[in-house]
Amino acid sequence: MRKFFGTDGIRGLTNQIPMTVEVAMRVGMAAGAHFLRGDHKHRVVIGKDTRISGYMLENALVAGFTSVGMDVVQVGPMPTPAVAMLTRSMRADLGVMLSASHNPFYDNGIKLFGPDGYKLSDEDEIQIEMLLASEPKLAEPAQIGRAKRIEDARGRYIHAVKQSLPESVRLDGLKIVLDCANGAAYNSAPTVFWELGADVISVGVSPNGININDKCGSTAPQLLQETVVASGADLGIALDGDADRLIVVDEKGAIVDGDQIMGLIGASWARQGRLKGGGVVATVMSNLGLERFLEGEGLRLERTKVGDRYVLERMKEGGFNVGGEQSGHMILSDHATTGDGTLAGLQVLAELVAADRPASELLHQFDPVPQLLKNVRFAGGKPLENGNVQTAIANGEAALAGRGRLVIRASGTEPVIRVMAEGDDAGQVEQVVDMICDAVKEAANRHA
């Protein structure tokens, strides 16, 4: 049983376990010890978003890593995909990103990347957990690591992201609104789009340590929608706090989710002969409309459990190069080892330039099938093992057979059962969801 690592690294409320200075230092010691392999001088890259707690936790990590003999390269506020990219390009043994993604400022997290730029495997995380429980082996005085801050890291990332587009693609004449969530991409993302010729209106680019994701960014797109319409922009792009996901807004202010973006890029790359694996990888939460659209294009949709790490695992196994989540994580593995909102935004803009059509037309690849998700909280027990609940689920599956889909799953972080159904008949979808939710509530009440 893992005590610290969740589905995406370690995360929690700052100054409470596990996000304390003591734990951060121990993570530095444990992760450093785990990656001390071979006789070369070992190195770790540390980046962060703009949370006020980043200073404190970064210093604790530096102390931990250097104490076991690892050199530290600090790159300051940088997107998560930039840390992954720099870890690989600098031949580092390990990369660390301090961020709680789209959460409020008072949360923070520690994400770890291996030397290949990919998030750590479950096996590596388990090994680090075991080392956290033991006394660290400290380096001899002459072998203690050094810490160095590099100033050109942002420029390296900007150059790498721009390289994802052919040199012939220019964004001249496009007016875009870019919401950086007062987060990690507040400086790099506007520069990328401006250098490629776009007229950029930037919002959410004044971080103060506590305003990250506050009424801005991909989880609060109202500011972006209003600014796009008011300024007459061609497109709006909102990133989250660590810039590994995006949400797009068309020129009319309508939100475009990850499913439409995956449909656009997947179908376009297939026509160009660039798509690998014969389809796109997404999670069980992606809309049935996306699946049907891809089938119409002669492509398939591979589904995984919820979580971008599972999407990436399937992409690597099956040789796919386009994958993501409905929430806006886009993984384009020809160019990045993790989700990258800036890079995905560039691909969308390149499609907009090539099509010479309004975003509201181009980004509406399919009509989403009516989808309903409800959460049922329970006090204890295992409601999904209850006979009445299982009967209700079987009846729901039968009702939707051939015309829809049912996804029932327990949350991995809280005592909640998530009930999602989708189908061509919105009324039937609602009936099925309510029937199953009622059965779960009744089973939970009996246990209570």
Side-chain angles (χ1 to χ4, degrees):
M1 180 67 182
R2 300 199 291 185
K3 181 180 176 184
F4 294 108
F5 285 93
T7 53
D8 195 14
I10 302 169
R11 189 179 292 187
L13 183 63
T14 307
N15 271 349
Q16 291 189 17
I17 290 176
M19 292 316 302
T20 65
V21 167
E22 292 87 350
V23 171
M25 186 168 72
R26 298 281 297 208
V27 168
M29 291 174 170
H34 181 60
F35 281 90
L36 285 173
R37 302 167 181 174
D39 297 327
H40 65 280
K41 189 58 181 171
H42 293 81
R43 177 186 293 166
V44 57
V45 174
I46 300 181
K48 60 183 179 179
D49 63 21
T50 55
R51 294 163 210 272
I52 194 169
S53 58
Y55 298 97
M56 174 183 84
L57 296 168
E58 180 184 27
N59 287 329
L61 282 167
V62 170
F65 281 115
T66 52
S67 74
V68 296
M70 256 201 176
D71 285 349
V72 177
V73 176
Q74 295 164 269
V75 298
M78 293 282 281
T80 289
V83 173
M85 182 273 290
L86 289 165
T87 299
R88 195 170 47 164
S89 71
M90 294 181 69
R91 311 300 191 269
D93 300 273
L94 185 64
V96 183
M97 179 66 182
L98 280 167
S99 177
S101 190
H102 55 279
N103 288 22
F105 83 92
Y106 44 75
D107 288 339
N108 214 329
I110 301 172
K111 296 182 187 181
L112 301 175
F113 295 91
D116 57 0
Y118 289 99
K119 290 178 182 176
L120 293 193
S121 66
D122 288 341
E123 292 75 24
D124 278 323
E125 289 183 350
I126 290 167
Q127 289 295 319
I128 292 169
E129 283 259 358
M130 290 168 63
L131 288 168
L132 279 167
S134 60
E135 277 301 309
K137 183 184 177 185
L138 300 179
E140 294 297 322
Q143 302 303 316
I144 290 171
R146 302 170 184 268
K148 178 181 180 181
R149 219 171 258 284
I150 59 170
E151 303 302 328
D152 66 339
R154 188 179 293 132
R156 296 186 199 189
Y157 171 66
I158 288 168
H159 176 73
V161 170
K162 287 165 58 183
Q163 291 291 100
S164 68
L165 290 186
E167 287 190 10
S168 59
V169 176
R170 298 182 60 90
L171 305 181
D172 300 61
L174 277 182
K175 180 189 278 191
I176 68 168
V177 178
L178 182 62
D179 181 351
C180 296
N182 291 315
Y186 77 96
N187 190 298
S188 60
T191 304
V192 167
F193 295 112
W194 176 80
E195 287 189 4
L196 288 169
D199 178 7
V200 183
I201 300 168
S202 299
V203 297
V205 289
S206 303
N208 62 13
I210 61 174
N211 62 358
I212 186 170
N213 300 314
D214 185 15
K215 301 182 181 68
C216 59
S218 62
T219 50
Q222 297 86 350
L223 173 65
L224 179 67
Q225 292 172 285
E226 292 165 5
T227 310
V228 166
V229 173
S231 62
D234 298 296
L235 193 77
I237 297 170
L239 306 173
D240 66 339
D242 68 335
D244 66 350
R245 74 163 82 176
L246 84 162
I247 287 293
V248 172
V249 167
D250 69 24
E251 83 280 3
K252 297 178 181 178
I255 291 173
V256 179
D257 68 11
D259 284 348
Q260 297 283 359
I261 297 169
M262 282 187 280
L264 171 71
I265 295 174
S268 175
W269 283 20
R271 288 191 289 270
Q272 297 170 43
R274 295 169 60 193
L275 190 70
K276 298 172 186 172
V280 170
V281 181
T283 75
V284 292
M285 301 307 288
S286 276
N287 196 275
L288 185 59
L290 171 62
E291 191 171 334
R292 291 173 176 173
F293 166 74
L294 290 172
E295 285 173 357
E297 296 286 320
L299 304 170
R300 71 182 189 275
L301 181 67
E302 291 264 332
R303 293 187 184 271
T304 72
K305 292 191 291 185
V306 173
D308 62 319
R309 67 186 298 167
Y310 301 113
V311 171
L312 187 55
E313 281 174 14
R314 183 69 195 102
M315 289 174 70
K316 289 166 77 174
E317 287 168 6
F320 296 87
N321 61 346
V322 175
E325 293 188 286
Q326 193 180 54
S327 61
H329 276 115
M330 294 292 120
I331 303 174
L332 305 173
S333 59
D334 288 350
H335 308 293
T337 54
T338 188
D340 190 330
T342 307
L343 193 150
L346 275 187
Q347 303 304 316
V348 172
L349 287 169
E351 297 293 341
L352 203 60
V353 169
D356 195 25
R357 290 161 55 201
S360 55
E361 291 181 19
L362 180 68
L363 298 177
H364 188 84
Q365 295 285 303
F366 60 88
D367 290 326
V369 169
Q371 188 180 72
L372 181 63
L373 169 67
K374 289 189 177 182
N375 296 326
V376 183
R377 190 167 290 275
F378 61 96
K382 297 180 178 179
L384 292 183
E385 295 180 7
N386 178 276
N388 291 338
V389 172
Q390 291 176 349
T391 299
I393 291 171
N395 290 340
E397 287 174 339
L400 293 171
R403 292 177 296 168
R405 209 167 54 92
L406 186 60
V407 178
I408 317 289
R409 65 186 187 93
S411 167
T413 56
E414 54 185 334
V416 166
I417 304 295
R418 307 195 194 283
V419 181
M420 190 276 279
E422 56 184 1
D424 299 316
D425 184 336
Q428 184 185 45
V429 165
E430 187 170 8
Q431 275 183 337
V432 167
V433 169
D434 286 344
M435 171 183 69
I436 295 168
C437 286
D438 288 344
V440 172
K441 287 174 190 170
E442 186 178 335
N445 289 336
R446 280 183 184 169
H447 183 273

